[in-house]
Amino acid sequence: MTGPVGQRSWTLRRRIGQSFAVVGAVLTVAVAAVIISATQFVLAGNSVVYRWDPAVTTTQRLLTDLVDQETALRGYALSSDDSYLEPYEQFRRSEQTHTRKLRSLLGKDKQLTGRLTALEDAAQRWQDEVAQPAVAGIRVGDPAAARLVQNAVAGRRFDAVRARVASLSAAVEARAAHARDRRSTAGIIFAVAASLTALTLITAGVALWRGLHRWVLAPVDRLGGQTREVAKGDTYKQIVPDGPLELTALGRDVEAMRLQIANQLARAEEIQEELRVRSEELARSNDDLQQFAYVASHDLSEPLRKVANFCQLLERQYGPQLDDKAKQYIDFAVDGAKRMQVLISDLLALSRVGRTTEQFEPVDLDRALNAALVTLADRIEEAGARVERLTPLPTVAGDHSLLTSLLENLVGNAVKYRRDDVAPVVRISAEHDDEQQLWTFTVSDNGIGIDPQYAERIFAVFQRLHLRDRYGGTGIGLALCRKIVEFHGGRIWLEPVESLPGATFTFTLPEGAVLAESRD
């Protein structure tokens, strides 16, 4: 790095890579120092714990074994009791065991093993010149054998043993002390290395954090702040990036995106203004069309009523003078005028659905069904039909007149499309769906039924499946039903059946009102 100017040209990847390389090298050295010092500390500790401390203890026990042998031998010499030989033999075996163990602990240390060999030689000389002859003489009853244990020669031989033990013990203690010093030194070095490593980690972490904050977080915060100002609506706020090359490139991309969004927003505002103007024009056009439809229907209905009335008057006043052909023509004209009146009335009802939800109110569908049955009373009585409510109908939010018309059309169709051999039966039920918070209604009959292939066609305007002379109507009823249901936020469909006769219509209505404006 040559300076601030050269540093600015560094990429973020290069900066982070260089930083981590330096930190990694320092940490590698520190960790290696910790591992080496820890290894030395463990080895020194093992040497103390598993070699020199046991060697010191074993040397002391070896001295104890020799002293106990000499004591037991003196007791045997004084009492000539063979029971004193048992501890003598026991301590002799213990001496041999501790000697072997100590030699194993001393390993290849020639100085210490030499002193141990000298101790073994001194102990063996005491055994050969004092202990063994005394034991053999006492066993055969030689009175002079007891004096062998207490004469000057015995004392010199055992003093030699004590001197060799003292020399070995001092040397082993010196080695143990030296090993403890090495362990302490290794522990201090390990503690220093671990402390320096921890300090290095903390320093590296702080340095990396400051570097990341300077190179990444601060530029990103500044870029984010400028972006948020643009997001709040200041689309003309220019974004000025800074920092490493990657972030400046990102800032330039964001600036390009801002310019594109600003252009699109300007274009969207122009389009929105055009849509507002066109919407106002469309609203005025719809109002004009509704007014025209109302006026046209009113103006058409009046001439049609006159045509029908005057044709009927013509038939009544001049009936005797008219032949059958003329009367048939008059019947055709009257029937056509009446059907045209019904058609105009149905079209008006269809056009009024979905204008506004301002008339929405709680509607008791049981009462709405009662009103529909009153309207259909003559047709129901004529057909001998029976309407059954399998469940009570709920109260929903909607337009009372439209929901009444819905039930009237569904029940009326069930009565109209009946079979000749059985009396019509219409069954109405309602079921609540707690998960979707809506009501599902079913209107079924035992009539002639509908082929499933026409399940969608029957809801279209002016679609008929039968000849008009067999079943009257304008072909608008089910289209009106679908529009009413969808206006209230539900849907309607023909349930598929395995075989005729009979048809089942199902429709749903939500618990609350669904504003039509939200869907327009």
Side-chain angles (χ1 to χ4, degrees), residues 115-302:
R115 295 189 180 191
L116 178 59
T117 300
L119 171 61
E120 288 178 317
D121 291 343
Q124 187 63 42
R125 187 177 295 112
W126 177 77
Q127 289 285 344
D128 293 340
E129 296 179 5
V130 178
Q132 294 300 328
V135 170
I138 292 171
R139 283 180 175 174
V140 297
D142 184 2
R147 291 193 295 271
L148 290 175
V149 179
Q150 301 177 357
N151 61 21
V153 176
R156 286 195 300 271
R157 294 290 179 263
F158 199 79
D159 288 341
V161 172
R162 290 178 184 271
R164 297 292 185 272
V165 173
S167 175
L168 177 61
S169 179
V172 171
E173 284 285 356
R175 292 287 197 281
H178 180 66
R180 294 189 191 98
D181 292 339
R182 287 181 55 202
R183 181 178 64 178
S184 299
T185 303
I188 293 173
I189 295 174
F190 172 70
V192 171
S195 300
L196 290 177
T197 301
L199 181 61
T200 302
L201 283 173
I202 295 172
T203 304
V206 172
L208 288 176
W209 167 252
R210 294 191 62 182
L212 289 175
H213 183 272
R214 179 181 176 184
W215 299 334
V216 180
L217 298 180
V220 168
D221 286 342
R222 289 191 290 271
L223 179 61
Q226 298 177 70
T227 305
R228 283 189 292 273
E229 291 183 15
V230 174
K232 290 179 180 178
D234 188 5
T235 55
Y236 298 101
K237 168 72 175 179
Q238 183 179 2
I239 295 177
V240 182
D242 63 349
L245 295 179
E246 291 90 345
L247 293 181
T248 54
L250 176 62
R252 288 193 295 270
D253 292 340
V254 174
E255 171 65 11
M257 183 176 63
R258 181 196 67 81
L259 291 175
Q260 185 178 4
I261 292 175
N263 294 333
Q264 291 178 351
L265 285 176
R267 177 56 181 161
E269 290 176 356
E270 295 177 0
I271 296 175
Q272 186 177 7
E273 180 62 21
E274 294 178 3
L275 289 176
R276 186 187 64 79
V277 174
R278 292 184 181 182
S279 296
E280 292 178 354
E281 294 177 354
L282 183 60
R284 287 194 297 269
S285 176
N286 286 338
D287 291 339
D288 294 341
L289 286 175
Q290 291 177 2
Q291 186 66 23
F292 171 77
Y294 177 78
V295 173
S297 63
H298 181 272
D299 293 345
L300 285 174
S301 297
E302 183 61 23

